Amino acid sequence: MESQKEHFDPLAECLAIIALSHHREFSKESILSGLPLINGCLTPSVFARAAKKIGFSSKMANRQFEAINPNLLPAVLLLADKQCCVLNKLNLTDNTAEIIFPDLPNSSQVIPLTELTGRYAGQLIYCRPEFQFDKRAPIIRNLKERHWFWSVIKDNRRLYRDVVIAALVINLLAVAMPLYVMNIYDRVVPNHATDTLWVLSVGILLALLADLALRLMRSWFVDLAASRADVQLSSTIMEKVMGMKLINRPDSTGSFTSNVQSFESIRSFTGSLTVVTLVDLPFVLLFITIIALISWPLIIPIILGGAFIIFYALMAQQKMKSLSEASMRASAMRNSTLVESISNIENVKSFNAENHIQSVWEKATIFISRTGAKMRFLSATITNTSMFVQHAVSIVIMVVGVYLLIDGQMTQGGLIGAYMLSSRAIAPISQVAGLLSQYHNAATAMKSLDEIMTRPTENESKNNQISRPVLKGDIEFRQVNFKYPAAETLALSGVNFKIKAGEHVAILGKNGSGKSTLERLILGLYDPESGAVLIDGIDSRQLNPTELRRNIGYVPQDISLFFGTLKENIITAHPQANDDEILKAAELAGILPFANKHPAGFNMQVGESGKLLSGGQRQSIAIARALINQPSILLLDEPSGALDHSSEEVLKQKLAQYSVGKTMIIVTHRSSLLTLAERIIVIDAGKIVADGPKEMVLDALRQGRVGSAN
Ligand code: ADP
Ligand code: MG
């Protein structure tokens, strides 16, 4: 296609060249689909994600020529002005490099390094194929796919390591204060040793300063790790949601979005405080050991108190779990009510459904607030009980300590030191107990997200996809059976037909007979349950869905536009379209009459889902959107359903010219559009009941010779 040649993506081309040099073929659409491209081009920061999609691992590195590892070539060299090239070989003895420029993918050239130095800024991307197991290799659990969540946390393990080291030192420093106080009481006060006092005080002050610095560093690192993980996880989740197969589509938008958003509670759990608390836990042992060194009987109340706190927190867990699950389900339900009613507010009002919705909302809210209150109370009992236990332990230590002191087994300083250390020893335990009470919120959210993340996506289930950037337009259904996941009966059964490229076919049938379903199968939105849909003789399951859909101009029956301008909506499928192409598509679809009248012209806002426009205007835009990239296949689902007669007439004439040489399948109830077709397929209850040249089928229909499926 002309317009696609104009649009050149150097980094994607470089990736293609490297893949080819490793004898890996792939479809360019498949690597780019679902990535945040800038001006339709790959950027270095998303290169790794694109490479990963075709089984390559890549790493960006700052290397001067001398430091480049020749064993890792070919690699992508990033040049000035957002250009790049593939470095095949590097010869440092005679200072030459063998490179391939992306615009000349088939010819490598050897050039002196001096020619490159001016343009090469010192950054390159190493890109190597990951080892691929075939079916013979036994599956070992560890080699299974990376977990979406834990793998990201693992990627940040260096940061967490620093956090652990900081925590280690902080906890060691924590011993300093009690020891300081203990020595003041035992050595300084009895001897009036002011020199020692000053030395100790300066020492402890330095320790406290170090402690402050480390604490600040620790919070910085924890936040850094959390925000990095956050960005990565959010994009993984969104990629998954966008790539999800329609067959796995969740039943309710509102409850699905609320599940996706529950990621928040995982984040707040794994974020800041949590990690720190867990790291502190082992140091309980250190504090207890030091107390034991001062006087061993004092550790008994600490151990008993700590055990009680943990025991109580674990007891409360079961209740917490069921409460948080119930609350999560109820919030999902409430969210669906909200989403459904707001997006349908016009219908809600027209049919007086406000009361019903209000009562569903209120019931759910009451339930959520009750469960929330119960959960908060339960976790309050945990934190407050542990606080009480902490103080009680201190009192017991004081009592026991005083007896030991009278007995001469302990000094005054030892008592104060043990008292201070005991509260430090209990604190992490009660923090963990508090954490346990939050744990179930995160765990429930994790479970529902896990469920989303393990659903197959369109791209990953098709790892043997063939690249067919341009399709001719042959369409064949072979014994296709199809059933919607929620449905009881087949929506299509035993459908067989063959449409040659360039043929124009009308599909007729009663409501609910399966006409729209047929088009959804051609688009690859759903896969047949049995049988096959072949496009250009290739099973559609082997075609990359993005590539397939680029070749199809589809006007759906229910039209929904995207928030934005008229122009943005026309170019959705083809963001690089130039003004000429846009105008042409707009003219074909009959947009010009109302776009020209509007003060903002093509920049007029269409509103969310196109709500600011009339049904007919929306339909015209949908037609322009389908025609913009000159697809070889047109699937029109009642394209004139919302158009008036004169607009329909204009559309008919324009389509008659436009569709020459293109495959066109048009579902319609308007007899006037039948002039566009040479062949008619009649379908009833998911079965084809007539298929043939237009006149013959029309005659048969008139004479009532076309039966129904049952
Ligand atoms: P039409 O010929 O009117 O376009 P459709 O192809 O839309 O009919 O629908 C065919 C059958 O499939 C209908 O019985 C309908 O109830 C059912 N159906 C359509 N879409 C879905 C869906 N998303 N989930 C479940 N069943 C569906
Ligand atoms: Mg339909």
Side-chain angles (χ1 to χ4, degrees):
M1 262 178 272
E2 263 318 299
S3 50
Q4 275 179 352
K5 255 184 230 143
E6 279 166 32
H7 172 66
F8 181 70
D9 184 348
L11 265 178
E13 294 297 336
C14 285
L15 182 55
I17 295 170
I18 292 186
L20 205 64
S21 75
H22 290 286
H23 308 288
R24 295 268 181 93
E25 280 189 42
F26 67 91
S27 115
K28 207 174 129 199
E29 301 283 343
S30 70
I31 49 170
L32 297 184
S33 79
L35 290 179
L37 304 179
I38 296 193
N39 295 329
C41 286
L42 204 57
T43 57
S45 57
V46 284
F47 186 89
R49 283 160 71 186
K52 190 160 169 274
K53 290 191 170 197
I54 51 165
F56 279 67
S57 64
S58 75
K59 187 170 189 280
M60 187 137 58
N62 287 313
R63 297 274 187 283
Q64 289 310 319
F65 283 121
E66 309 78 58
I68 291 176
N69 183 348
N71 297 321
L72 297 180
L73 296 181
V76 183
L77 287 187
L78 299 182
L79 305 176
D81 299 330
K82 300 199 171 134
Q83 294 302 307
C84 55
C85 67
V86 174
L87 176 66
N88 259 348
K89 286 198 192 93
L90 187 65
N91 193 336
L92 285 175
T93 45
D94 56 6
N95 276 325
T96 56
E98 184 188 316
I99 57 171
I100 304 177
F101 280 107
D103 32 5
L104 292 168
N106 299 321
S107 62
S108 65
Q109 37 186 303
V110 177
I111 60 167
L113 281 186
T114 43
E115 248 180 66
L116 273 180
T117 36
R119 302 175 62 194
Y120 176 56
Q123 266 200 327
L124 85 167
I125 307 176
Y126 288 123
C127 186
R128 309 270 312 156
E130 284 164 349
F131 182 71
Q132 283 188 334
F133 294 97
D134 63 19
K135 290 217 174 76
R136 292 165 300 177
I139 294 170
I140 300 166
R141 249 192 92 74
N142 290 345
L143 289 176
K144 261 178 59 181
E145 255 190 80
R146 290 155 49 97
H147 186 273
W148 63 277
F149 179 77
W150 295 115
S151 66
V152 171
I153 298 295
K154 214 170 126 197
D155 287 347
N156 284 319
R157 58 179 173 269
R158 280 178 138 172
L159 276 176
Y160 286 114
R161 187 197 59 197
D162 294 343
V163 171
V164 171
I165 293 175
L168 207 107
V169 183
I170 289 172
N171 277 290
L172 288 178
L173 288 174
V175 183
M177 198 68 191
L179 291 185
Y180 168 74
V181 177
M182 183 171 143
N183 277 300
I184 299 284
Y185 269 83
D186 286 354
R187 309 246 152 80
V188 176
V189 176
N191 308 324
H192 298 270
T194 46
D195 288 348
T196 322
L197 172 71
W198 280 106
V199 173
L200 286 178
S201 300
V202 170
I204 189 78
L205 212 63
L206 288 179
L208 284 181
L209 280 176
D211 186 65
L212 175 69
L214 281 168
R215 274 175 198 277
L216 290 179
M217 234 168 72
R218 176 171 73 171
S219 354
W220 170 249
F221 280 146
V222 170
D223 271 345
L224 191 65
S227 68
R228 271 194 201 168
D230 193 24
V231 173
Q232 279 179 29
L233 289 172
S234 303
S235 22
T236 324
I237 292 176
M238 194 59 186
E239 235 175 76
K240 192 81 187 180
V241 171
M242 288 292 109
M244 185 174 288
K245 286 183 159 194
L246 281 187
I247 197 104
N248 299 314
R249 180 171 60 182
D251 301 330
S252 153
T253 315
S255 100
F256 185 70
T257 47
S258 119
N259 284 355
V260 170
Q261 279 158 1
S262 65
F263 172 58
E264 286 297 317
S265 57
I266 301 182
R267 185 188 20 214
S268 71
F269 184 76
T270 50
S272 348
L273 238 168
T274 329
V275 193
V276 178
T277 320
L278 287 179
V279 167
D280 285 348
L281 199 57
F283 288 95
V284 171
L285 283 180
L286 174 77
F287 297 127
I288 291 185
T289 315
I290 296 176
I291 297 175
L293 287 177
I294 296 172
S295 169
W296 69 265
L298 293 182
I299 64 171
I300 297 171
I302 298 180
I303 293 175
L304 289 179
F308 178 78
I309 295 175
I310 296 287
F311 176 73
Y312 181 72
L314 287 176
M315 289 288 289
Q317 282 315 290
Q318 208 48 43
K319 186 76 192 149
M320 214 63 180
K321 186 174 174 205
S322 61
L323 282 176
S324 71
E325 271 171 14
S327 137
M328 172 124 175
R329 288 178 62 194
S331 354
M333 198 177 108
R334 187 173 69 161
N335 203 38
S336 345
T337 315
L338 180 69
V339 169
E340 196 182 12
S341 57
I342 291 185
S343 54
N344 276 327
I345 190 77
E346 207 173 297
N347 283 318
V348 171
K349 285 181 182 298
S350 322
F351 299 100
N352 287 332
E354 294 102 324
N355 294 348
H356 171 69
I357 286 167
Q358 185 75 23
S359 92
V360 171
W361 175 267
E362 282 178 14
K363 275 183 202 151
T365 307
I366 291 171
F367 181 79
I368 292 169
S369 84
R370 276 207 199 125
T371 11
K374 277 186 205 158
M375 281 167 72
R376 274 191 301 279
F377 181 71
L378 205 58
S379 73
T381 63
I382 295 177
T383 34
N384 290 315
T385 308
S386 51
M387 205 142 78
F388 169 77
V389 171
Q390 199 170 334
H391 291 308
V393 166
S394 301
I395 295 172
V396 175
I397 283 189
M398 273 302 178
V399 172
V400 176
V402 169
Y403 275 99
L404 289 171
L405 198 119
I406 295 171
D407 220 23
Q409 289 184 37
M410 209 167 108
T411 60
Q412 227 175 55
L415 178 60
I416 303 262
Y419 170 76
M420 289 171 78
L421 281 168
S422 77
S423 58
R424 292 229 47 134
I426 294 271
I429 299 180
S430 33
Q431 267 173 3
V432 169
L435 205 66
L436 274 176
S437 69
Q438 288 174 36
Y439 166 75
H440 278 297
N441 265 338
T444 319
M446 187 78 171
K447 214 162 80 189
S448 68
L449 270 178
D450 246 348
E451 199 261 319
I452 294 172
M453 297 304 285
T454 47
R455 293 184 189 187
T457 55
E458 288 184 324
N459 276 317
E460 73 194 27
S461 57
K462 303 185 178 180
N463 35 19
N464 301 321
Q465 283 167 352
I466 317 174
S467 179
R468 279 295 167 96
V470 179
L471 295 168
K472 283 203 322 247
D474 290 323
I475 298 173
E476 184 181 352
F477 272 52
R478 268 194 207 150
Q479 285 301 333
V480 170
N481 285 330
F482 174 74
K483 187 167 88 62
Y484 283 105
E488 302 275 306
T489 52
L490 288 174
L492 292 179
S493 68
V495 173
N496 252 322
F497 63 79
K498 208 167 177 173
I499 296 175
K500 284 197 291 296
E503 231 182 319
H504 299 160
V505 182
I507 299 195
L508 307 182
K510 296 193 194 109
N511 288 339
S513 52
K515 306 178 299 291
S516 302
T517 309
L518 199 97
E519 301 200 323
R520 288 187 196 125
L521 258 70
I522 299 176
L523 277 164
L525 293 175
Y526 293 95
D527 292 335
E529 205 165 78
S530 65
V533 176
L534 300 130
I535 314 284
D536 278 11
I538 306 165
D539 193 315
S540 67
R541 280 165 286 205
Q542 283 184 41
L543 288 169
N544 174 267
T546 320
E547 241 171 32
L548 171 65
R549 287 165 207 161
R550 170 145 304 174
N551 282 282
I552 299 179
Y554 176 50
V555 180
Q557 187 170 13
D558 299 318
I559 289 151
S560 175
L561 303 179
F562 300 107
F563 179 84
T565 63
L566 174 58
K567 181 178 159 189
E568 281 164 357
N569 269 286
I570 298 178
I571 61 172
T572 330
H574 184 35
Q576 300 90 33
N578 56 36
D579 287 349
D580 252 9
E581 290 172 301
I582 298 173
L583 263 175
K584 231 167 90 190
E587 201 195 332
L588 271 170
I591 292 177
L592 291 184
F594 71 87
N596 287 345
K597 254 190 280 167
H598 194 278
F602 277 86
N603 288 325
M604 71 196 253
Q605 288 290 331
V606 303
E608 205 171 312
S609 327
K611 286 215 173 70
L612 302 182
L613 300 178
S614 80
Q617 291 171 328
R618 270 204 294 273
Q619 189 146 41
S620 303
I621 297 174
I623 295 171
R625 178 170 72 175
L627 304 183
I628 184 96
N629 44 348
Q630 301 275 341
S632 46
I633 302 172
L634 293 174
L635 297 183
L636 312 175
D637 201 341
E638 310 198 15
S640 61
L643 298 184
D644 56 51
H645 277 291
S646 66
S647 311
E648 184 178 38
E649 203 52 37
V650 175
L651 175 71
K652 198 174 82 183
Q653 280 159 17
K654 297 262 165 69
L655 270 182
Q657 294 165 14
Y658 180 83
S659 63
V660 175
K662 296 179 189 296
T663 310
M664 178 162 74
I665 299 182
I666 178 162
V667 173
T668 184
H669 291 302
R670 305 275 185 100
S671 47
S672 83
L673 280 190
L674 287 182
T675 45
L676 288 171
E678 307 89 64
R679 171 178 165 193
I680 293 180
I681 295 178
V682 184
I683 147 169
D684 188 55
K687 292 196 180 74
I688 291 186
V689 288
D691 178 2
K694 178 167 66 179
E695 290 313 326
M696 264 172 62
V697 175
L698 283 179
D699 277 347
L701 281 171
R702 266 182 229 118
Q703 293 161 16
R705 275 191 282 122
V706 175
S708 70
N710 0 344

